[in-house]
């Protein structure tokens, strides 16, 4: 009886490859879940300064967000001028976080987040983009690389892809 060693070794190889591939996918999914969790935690905790004294601002233009309050972490705040605006041509420093808390009917419904991170695999135009419900559930995942965001935000490259300073 002749044994075909190619077939004999092929199936264990295929099984090991498949197991490694699926474990790798699980690890990537877990890493993404961890990054989403960390960004959400950064957005809902920590020291933030309110834009325009925390006033509820109406969405303008083609904004999908509606009424909102905007918050800046300390790094982002350090880039703002005395009027609370990012000067034309200025850039936010690495690690800056902007959180747009979106309201409907007086209730917080969403956190839309931009974090300046030029090194992240999820970064687009120097920012990572995500949206979370108040309970932390993901509405817009980091791994979408801001695809639904950069079209509008790209219209404001003179203020580091932020729109609020030109609209409010």
């Amino acid at each position: 009886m002749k044994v075909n060693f190619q077939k004999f070794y092929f199936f264990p190889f295929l099984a090991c490859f498949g197991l490694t591939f699926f474990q790798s996918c699980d690890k990537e999914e877990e890493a993404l879940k961890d990054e989403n969790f960390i960004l959400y935690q950064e957005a809902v905790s920590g020291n933030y300064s309110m834009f325009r004294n925390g006033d509820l601002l109406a969405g303008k233009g083609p904004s999908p967000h509606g009424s909102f309050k905007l918050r800046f972490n300390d790094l982002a705040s350090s880039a703002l001028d005395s009027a609370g605006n990012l000067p034309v041509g200025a850039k936010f420093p690495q690690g800056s976080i902007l959180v747009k808390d979106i309201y409907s009917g007086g209730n917080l419904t969403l956190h839309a987040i931009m974090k300046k991170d030029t090194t992240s695999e999820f970064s687009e135009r120097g920012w990572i983009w995500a949206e979370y419900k108040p309970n932390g559930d993901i509405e817009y995942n980091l791994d979408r690389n801001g695809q639904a965001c950069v079209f509008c935000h790209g219209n404001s490259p003179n203020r580091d892809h932020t729109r609020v300073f030109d609209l409010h």
Side-chain angles (χ1 to χ4, degrees):
M1 179 169 138
K2 188 175 179 183
V3 175
N4 186 340
F5 284 104
Q6 287 177 328
K7 287 182 182 177
F8 181 72
Y9 289 112
F10 177 74
F11 291 112
F13 169 78
L14 187 60
C16 288
F17 174 78
L19 183 60
T20 302
F21 175 77
F22 289 116
Q23 284 179 336
S24 174
C25 290
D26 287 344
K27 285 180 185 177
E28 287 175 15
E29 252 180 56
E30 280 301 312
L32 178 60
K33 186 185 279 187
D34 291 346
E35 287 199 47
N36 271 296
F37 178 76
I38 290 167
L39 182 59
Y40 172 76
Q41 288 301 315
E42 287 179 307
V44 297
S45 60
N47 190 25
Y48 282 83
S49 300
M50 298 301 293
F51 180 68
R52 302 288 187 258
N53 300 316
D55 291 342
L56 187 63
L57 304 171
K60 290 188 178 179
S63 175
H65 298 147
S67 298
F68 66 95
K69 295 180 181 184
L70 183 62
R71 301 181 282 129
F72 303 97
N73 72 351
D74 288 340
L75 277 172
S77 292
S78 72
L80 304 178
D81 63 19
S82 60
N85 294 316
L86 182 69
V88 173
K91 301 273 186 203
F92 283 101
Q94 184 82 347
S96 293
I97 300 175
L98 287 68
V99 181
K100 187 183 267 189
D101 294 320
I102 300 164
Y103 290 81
S104 179
N107 297 314
L108 177 64
T109 59
L110 196 68
H111 302 288
I113 303 164
M114 294 173 63
K115 180 177 182 181
K116 186 72 175 238
D117 187 348
T118 58
T119 63
S120 172
E121 67 181 294
F122 306 116
S123 177
E124 180 62 37
R125 300 187 186 183
W127 293 91
I128 55 176
W129 316 74
E131 293 179 349
Y132 304 95
K133 294 179 181 177
N135 67 1
D137 288 349
I138 298 167
E139 183 74 19
Y140 186 86
N141 205 325
L142 288 170
D143 68 349
R144 294 182 60 193
N145 297 75
Q147 293 170 359
C149 309
V150 296
F151 178 76
C152 289
H153 285 265
N155 292 329
S156 186
N158 292 331
R159 295 205 201 233
D160 204 8
H161 303 290
T162 57
R163 306 268 306 165
V164 69
F165 307 109
D166 296 320
L167 298 174
H168 294 277

mmCIF file of all heavy atoms in Angstrom, residues 35 92-96 115-129 142 145:
data_model
loop_
_atom_site.group_PDB
_atom_site.id
_atom_site.type_symbol
_atom_site.label_atom_id
_atom_site.label_comp_id
_atom_site.label_asym_id
_atom_site.label_seq_id
_atom_site.Cartn_x
_atom_site.Cartn_y
_atom_site.Cartn_z
ATOM 1 N N GLU A 35 -9.705 48.699 22.007
ATOM 2 C CA GLU A 35 -9.470 50.086 21.597
ATOM 3 C C GLU A 35 -10.749 50.906 21.645
ATOM 4 O O GLU A 35 -10.732 52.071 22.042
ATOM 5 C CB GLU A 35 -8.836 50.137 20.204
ATOM 6 C CG GLU A 35 -7.385 49.706 20.220
ATOM 7 C CD GLU A 35 -6.629 50.162 19.001
ATOM 8 O OE1 GLU A 35 -6.736 51.335 18.620
ATOM 9 O OE2 GLU A 35 -5.916 49.316 18.427
ATOM 10 N N PHE A 92 -4.417 70.513 16.023
ATOM 11 C CA PHE A 92 -4.501 69.986 17.378
ATOM 12 C C PHE A 92 -3.301 69.078 17.624
ATOM 13 O O PHE A 92 -2.850 68.373 16.714
ATOM 14 C CB PHE A 92 -5.789 69.181 17.567
ATOM 15 C CG PHE A 92 -7.016 70.025 17.750
ATOM 16 C CD1 PHE A 92 -7.890 70.231 16.699
ATOM 17 C CD2 PHE A 92 -7.291 70.610 18.976
ATOM 18 C CE1 PHE A 92 -9.038 71.001 16.861
ATOM 19 C CE2 PHE A 92 -8.432 71.385 19.154
ATOM 20 C CZ PHE A 92 -9.300 71.587 18.098
ATOM 21 N N PRO A 93 -2.778 69.045 18.865
ATOM 22 C CA PRO A 93 -1.661 68.144 19.163
ATOM 23 C C PRO A 93 -2.106 66.684 19.223
ATOM 24 O O PRO A 93 -3.280 66.385 19.456
ATOM 25 C CB PRO A 93 -1.165 68.622 20.532
ATOM 26 C CG PRO A 93 -2.253 69.441 21.115
ATOM 27 C CD PRO A 93 -3.114 69.918 19.994
ATOM 28 N N GLN A 94 -1.145 65.818 18.999
ATOM 29 C CA GLN A 94 -1.366 64.377 19.101
ATOM 30 C C GLN A 94 -1.988 64.063 20.460
ATOM 31 O O GLN A 94 -1.546 64.571 21.483
ATOM 32 C CB GLN A 94 -0.021 63.659 18.938
ATOM 33 C CG GLN A 94 -0.076 62.171 18.933
ATOM 34 C CD GLN A 94 -0.440 61.585 17.589
ATOM 35 O OE1 GLN A 94 -0.889 62.258 16.682
ATOM 36 N NE2 GLN A 94 -0.263 60.287 17.467
ATOM 37 N N GLY A 95 -3.038 63.250 20.483
ATOM 38 C CA GLY A 95 -3.720 62.873 21.719
ATOM 39 C C GLY A 95 -4.917 63.741 22.049
ATOM 40 O O GLY A 95 -5.628 63.470 23.013
ATOM 41 N N SER A 96 -5.151 64.787 21.254
ATOM 42 C CA SER A 96 -6.326 65.638 21.476
ATOM 43 C C SER A 96 -7.594 64.836 21.275
ATOM 44 O O SER A 96 -7.673 64.007 20.365
ATOM 45 C CB SER A 96 -6.336 66.811 20.492
ATOM 46 O OG SER A 96 -5.276 67.699 20.746
ATOM 47 N N LYS A 115 -10.336 61.656 17.861
ATOM 48 C CA LYS A 115 -9.090 61.657 18.631
ATOM 49 C C LYS A 115 -7.932 61.787 17.660
ATOM 50 O O LYS A 115 -7.817 61.029 16.704
ATOM 51 C CB LYS A 115 -8.936 60.375 19.452
ATOM 52 C CG LYS A 115 -7.647 60.374 20.266
ATOM 53 C CD LYS A 115 -7.517 59.151 21.138
ATOM 54 C CE LYS A 115 -6.239 59.234 21.959
ATOM 55 N NZ LYS A 115 -6.073 58.050 22.807
ATOM 56 N N LYS A 116 -7.077 62.766 17.919
ATOM 57 C CA LYS A 116 -5.904 62.988 17.065
ATOM 58 C C LYS A 116 -4.903 61.885 17.346
ATOM 59 O O LYS A 116 -4.365 61.777 18.444
ATOM 60 C CB LYS A 116 -5.311 64.366 17.369
ATOM 61 C CG LYS A 116 -4.176 64.769 16.445
ATOM 62 C CD LYS A 116 -4.711 65.083 15.069
ATOM 63 C CE LYS A 116 -3.655 65.608 14.153
ATOM 64 N NZ LYS A 116 -3.952 66.910 13.624
ATOM 65 N N ASP A 117 -4.723 61.016 16.356
ATOM 66 C CA ASP A 117 -3.795 59.897 16.491
ATOM 67 C C ASP A 117 -3.300 59.541 15.103
ATOM 68 O O ASP A 117 -3.914 58.737 14.395
ATOM 69 C CB ASP A 117 -4.471 58.711 17.158
ATOM 70 C CG ASP A 117 -3.496 57.587 17.465
ATOM 71 O OD1 ASP A 117 -2.347 57.614 16.960
ATOM 72 O OD2 ASP A 117 -3.868 56.674 18.225
ATOM 73 N N THR A 118 -2.213 60.147 14.720
ATOM 74 C CA THR A 118 -1.683 59.951 13.374
ATOM 75 C C THR A 118 -1.031 58.585 13.185
ATOM 76 O O THR A 118 -0.751 58.192 12.058
ATOM 77 C CB THR A 118 -0.650 61.047 13.044
ATOM 78 O OG1 THR A 118 0.401 61.001 14.022
ATOM 79 C CG2 THR A 118 -1.292 62.418 13.046
ATOM 80 N N THR A 119 -0.823 57.826 14.273
ATOM 81 C CA THR A 119 -0.140 56.545 14.165
ATOM 82 C C THR A 119 -1.082 55.348 14.171
ATOM 83 O O THR A 119 -0.653 54.234 13.890
ATOM 84 C CB THR A 119 0.866 56.376 15.322
ATOM 85 O OG1 THR A 119 0.158 56.366 16.561
ATOM 86 C CG2 THR A 119 1.891 57.509 15.322
ATOM 87 N N SER A 120 -2.343 55.550 14.479
ATOM 88 C CA SER A 120 -3.285 54.437 14.589
ATOM 89 C C SER A 120 -3.608 53.849 13.221
ATOM 90 O O SER A 120 -3.747 54.579 12.234
ATOM 91 C CB SER A 120 -4.585 54.907 15.239
ATOM 92 O OG SER A 120 -5.563 53.883 15.194
ATOM 93 N N GLU A 121 -3.776 52.553 13.177
ATOM 94 C CA GLU A 121 -4.202 51.906 11.942
ATOM 95 C C GLU A 121 -5.629 52.319 11.561
ATOM 96 O O GLU A 121 -6.048 52.144 10.427
ATOM 97 C CB GLU A 121 -4.121 50.382 12.069
ATOM 98 C CG GLU A 121 -5.117 49.798 13.059
ATOM 99 C CD GLU A 121 -5.008 48.300 13.204
ATOM 100 O OE1 GLU A 121 -5.304 47.578 12.231
ATOM 101 O OE2 GLU A 121 -4.616 47.868 14.306
ATOM 102 N N PHE A 122 -6.353 52.893 12.506
ATOM 103 C CA PHE A 122 -7.724 53.326 12.265
ATOM 104 C C PHE A 122 -7.805 54.815 11.918
ATOM 105 O O PHE A 122 -8.883 55.359 11.742
ATOM 106 C CB PHE A 122 -8.604 53.038 13.488
ATOM 107 C CG PHE A 122 -8.545 51.605 13.921
ATOM 108 C CD1 PHE A 122 -8.037 51.255 15.152
ATOM 109 C CD2 PHE A 122 -8.982 50.598 13.074
ATOM 110 C CE1 PHE A 122 -7.974 49.923 15.544
ATOM 111 C CE2 PHE A 122 -8.917 49.271 13.451
ATOM 112 C CZ PHE A 122 -8.414 48.933 14.698
ATOM 113 N N SER A 123 -6.673 55.452 11.819
ATOM 114 C CA SER A 123 -6.615 56.888 11.579
ATOM 115 C C SER A 123 -6.905 57.225 10.113
ATOM 116 O O SER A 123 -6.474 56.534 9.200
ATOM 117 C CB SER A 123 -5.214 57.398 11.942
ATOM 118 O OG SER A 123 -5.087 58.759 11.662
ATOM 119 N N GLU A 124 -7.644 58.299 9.940
ATOM 120 C CA GLU A 124 -7.872 58.867 8.613
ATOM 121 C C GLU A 124 -7.702 60.372 8.751
ATOM 122 O O GLU A 124 -8.341 60.994 9.607
ATOM 123 C CB GLU A 124 -9.267 58.511 8.093
ATOM 124 C CG GLU A 124 -9.578 59.067 6.731
ATOM 125 C CD GLU A 124 -8.653 58.562 5.638
ATOM 126 O OE1 GLU A 124 -8.255 57.379 5.656
ATOM 127 O OE2 GLU A 124 -8.314 59.359 4.752
ATOM 128 N N ARG A 125 -6.820 60.924 7.959
ATOM 129 C CA ARG A 125 -6.500 62.361 8.000
ATOM 130 C C ARG A 125 -5.997 62.784 9.379
ATOM 131 O O ARG A 125 -6.243 63.897 9.833
ATOM 132 C CB ARG A 125 -7.680 63.192 7.552
ATOM 133 C CG ARG A 125 -8.089 62.831 6.126
ATOM 134 C CD ARG A 125 -9.122 63.701 5.580
ATOM 135 N NE ARG A 125 -9.523 63.142 4.273
ATOM 136 C CZ ARG A 125 -10.382 63.703 3.485
ATOM 137 N NH1 ARG A 125 -10.948 64.840 3.815
ATOM 138 N NH2 ARG A 125 -10.682 63.138 2.340
ATOM 139 N N GLY A 126 -5.335 61.860 10.050
ATOM 140 C CA GLY A 126 -4.732 62.167 11.339
ATOM 141 C C GLY A 126 -5.635 61.972 12.534
ATOM 142 O O GLY A 126 -5.223 62.194 13.665
ATOM 143 N N TRP A 127 -6.872 61.544 12.311
ATOM 144 C CA TRP A 127 -7.849 61.382 13.387
ATOM 145 C C TRP A 127 -8.431 59.972 13.372
ATOM 146 O O TRP A 127 -8.564 59.364 12.311
ATOM 147 C CB TRP A 127 -9.015 62.358 13.202
ATOM 148 C CG TRP A 127 -8.668 63.792 13.360
ATOM 149 C CD1 TRP A 127 -8.275 64.656 12.369
ATOM 150 C CD2 TRP A 127 -8.677 64.559 14.564
ATOM 151 N NE1 TRP A 127 -8.051 65.899 12.887
ATOM 152 C CE2 TRP A 127 -8.295 65.876 14.238
ATOM 153 C CE3 TRP A 127 -8.989 64.259 15.878
ATOM 154 C CZ2 TRP A 127 -8.202 66.887 15.185
ATOM 155 C CZ3 TRP A 127 -8.900 65.270 16.830
ATOM 156 C CH2 TRP A 127 -8.509 66.564 16.483
ATOM 157 N N ILE A 128 -8.799 59.500 14.574
ATOM 158 C CA ILE A 128 -9.655 58.322 14.636
ATOM 159 C C ILE A 128 -11.054 58.822 14.981
ATOM 160 O O ILE A 128 -11.212 59.804 15.703
ATOM 161 C CB ILE A 128 -9.149 57.238 15.607
ATOM 162 C CG1 ILE A 128 -8.928 57.774 17.019
ATOM 163 C CG2 ILE A 128 -7.877 56.617 15.091
ATOM 164 C CD1 ILE A 128 -8.535 56.701 18.011
ATOM 165 N N TRP A 129 -12.050 58.160 14.423
ATOM 166 C CA TRP A 129 -13.442 58.603 14.492
ATOM 167 C C TRP A 129 -14.284 57.464 15.032
ATOM 168 O O TRP A 129 -14.164 56.329 14.576
ATOM 169 C CB TRP A 129 -13.951 58.958 13.097
ATOM 170 C CG TRP A 129 -13.005 59.752 12.252
ATOM 171 C CD1 TRP A 129 -11.872 59.299 11.625
ATOM 172 C CD2 TRP A 129 -13.097 61.140 11.931
ATOM 173 N NE1 TRP A 129 -11.277 60.314 10.934
ATOM 174 C CE2 TRP A 129 -12.007 61.463 11.099
ATOM 175 C CE3 TRP A 129 -14.008 62.140 12.254
ATOM 176 C CZ2 TRP A 129 -11.794 62.737 10.595
ATOM 177 C CZ3 TRP A 129 -13.811 63.411 11.752
ATOM 178 C CH2 TRP A 129 -12.709 63.701 10.935
ATOM 179 N N LEU A 142 -14.470 52.180 15.205
ATOM 180 C CA LEU A 142 -13.151 52.696 14.824
ATOM 181 C C LEU A 142 -12.644 52.117 13.512
ATOM 182 O O LEU A 142 -11.999 52.823 12.741
ATOM 183 C CB LEU A 142 -12.113 52.323 15.899
ATOM 184 C CG LEU A 142 -12.148 53.026 17.220
ATOM 185 C CD1 LEU A 142 -11.196 52.338 18.195
ATOM 186 C CD2 LEU A 142 -11.759 54.464 17.038
ATOM 187 N N ASN A 145 -12.598 53.675 9.909
ATOM 188 C CA ASN A 145 -11.632 54.714 9.549
ATOM 189 C C ASN A 145 -12.280 56.036 9.150
ATOM 190 O O ASN A 145 -11.777 56.732 8.265
ATOM 191 C CB ASN A 145 -10.693 54.227 8.443
ATOM 192 C CG ASN A 145 -9.860 53.052 8.884
ATOM 193 O OD1 ASN A 145 -10.362 51.934 8.970
ATOM 194 N ND2 ASN A 145 -8.616 53.287 9.201
#
